[in-house]
Amino acid sequence: MFHVMLVEDQEIVRQGLRMILEQDEQIRVSCEASNGYEAMEKMTAHRVDVIFMDIRMPDMNGIEATRKIKELWPDVPILILTTFNDDGYALEALNEGASGFLLKTSDGKKLIEAVYSVMKGGLVLHDEVTAKVMPKLLKQSKKTAANVEVDLTERERAITKRIGQGKTNKEIAAELYLSIGTIKNHISVILQKTKLRDRTQLAIYAVTHDIS
């Protein structure tokens, strides 16, 4: 069972998201928050596996909330809910450790699939927004990524390449005939070697360095 927290200042939007997500028998919305401060409080009182995070909220917005939550609960994936004119904010949220972003107009199937994807270690990017945000993300990261040169083993390069292709830990494990736990351990070592913070930055590193 995946326990989800909805962080959104509009109650009607939260109600709609809850109805959509709970159509799947393995997903339950365990708590809701209307801003970042409430989200921080709910994190200490509820089991949360995945967070859907709005960007524009009063008191504490989604970017700041993402940063603070990832500092305290780094293993909890955060999916940013955005609109087309929020792409700049979505870019910032990814830099703070978000596991992806979705349009608020996404259909229910995409939202449910996103939960399963991030729980497997995937990075979720909505097709219609990726074209706007990813070039900015790559350009922004080239300056720092270009300076990151490390000696990865053949297996570490194989894993890094697949992360750059957007594959989940389960998919990588199947392709390399390894356990998911082994893949996770390798990723931890790769992050230490590259001095990168998370899977998102590693995916960018793989693309900008043409890892093969």
Side-chain angles (χ1 to χ4, degrees):
M1 182 70 69
F2 301 135
H3 295 265
V4 173
M5 174 162 65
L6 304 177
V7 188
E8 159 68 52
D9 62 327
Q10 297 185 50
E11 183 177 359
I12 190 170
V13 176
R14 295 200 306 270
Q15 291 176 349
L17 287 171
R18 176 188 284 270
M19 290 178 61
I20 290 170
L21 292 170
E22 292 190 342
Q23 290 178 26
D24 189 286
E25 294 181 354
Q26 297 301 313
I27 299 176
R28 286 294 176 270
V29 176
S30 60
C31 56
E32 301 178 13
S34 61
N35 58 57
Y37 285 116
E38 288 185 13
M40 297 286 290
E41 293 176 353
K42 296 294 175 68
M43 285 294 292
T44 62
H46 297 267
R47 174 188 166 186
V48 177
D49 297 312
V50 181
I51 300 172
F52 280 85
M53 180 79 71
D54 187 20
I55 289 288
R56 299 180 182 181
M57 297 180 291
D59 300 323
M60 184 190 291
N61 63 38
I63 297 169
E64 187 177 357
T66 296
R67 179 173 61 252
K68 290 181 178 297
I69 289 173
K70 294 300 287 187
E71 287 175 354
L72 296 173
W73 298 277
D75 295 330
V76 177
I78 299 175
L79 285 163
I80 299 300
L81 291 171
T82 183
T83 59
F84 276 116
N85 61 349
D86 278 341
D87 60 290
Y89 293 114
L91 180 62
E92 289 185 60
L94 284 175
N95 286 328
E96 294 298 344
S99 295
F101 53 85
L102 297 162
L103 288 178
K104 288 187 176 180
T105 54
S106 298
D107 61 40
K109 183 179 178 181
K110 284 186 180 295
L111 295 176
I112 291 171
E113 288 176 347
V115 173
Y116 281 86
S117 179
V118 295
M119 288 303 297
K120 295 175 182 177
L123 178 67
V124 179
L125 304 174
H126 195 289
D127 293 342
E128 295 179 44
V129 185
T130 300
K132 295 175 65 179
V133 175
M134 189 54 70
K136 298 177 184 178
L137 192 61
L138 291 172
K139 182 178 179 181
Q140 180 188 82
S141 301
K142 278 182 179 179
K143 294 180 181 178
T144 53
N147 296 324
V148 180
E149 294 294 344
V150 294
D151 184 20
L152 298 177
T153 67
E154 183 177 347
R155 175 147 290 170
E156 288 167 350
R157 292 181 68 85
I159 292 171
T160 302
K161 174 186 177 181
R162 286 163 173 78
I163 289 175
Q165 294 170 342
K167 295 184 178 179
T168 67
N169 289 348
K170 183 177 180 180
E171 291 170 333
I172 297 172
E175 289 186 11
L176 299 181
Y177 302 101
L178 298 169
S179 70
I180 295 176
T182 299
I183 296 299
K184 289 181 179 179
N185 290 336
H186 276 298
I187 292 173
S188 295
V189 172
I190 295 168
L191 290 174
Q192 290 175 2
K193 283 187 175 183
T194 56
K195 294 182 171 58
L196 297 173
R197 183 182 58 200
D198 53 36
R199 193 186 188 91
T200 303
Q201 290 188 348
L202 186 56
I204 297 166
Y205 172 84
V207 174
T208 56
H209 283 70
D210 193 25
I211 297 294
S212 59

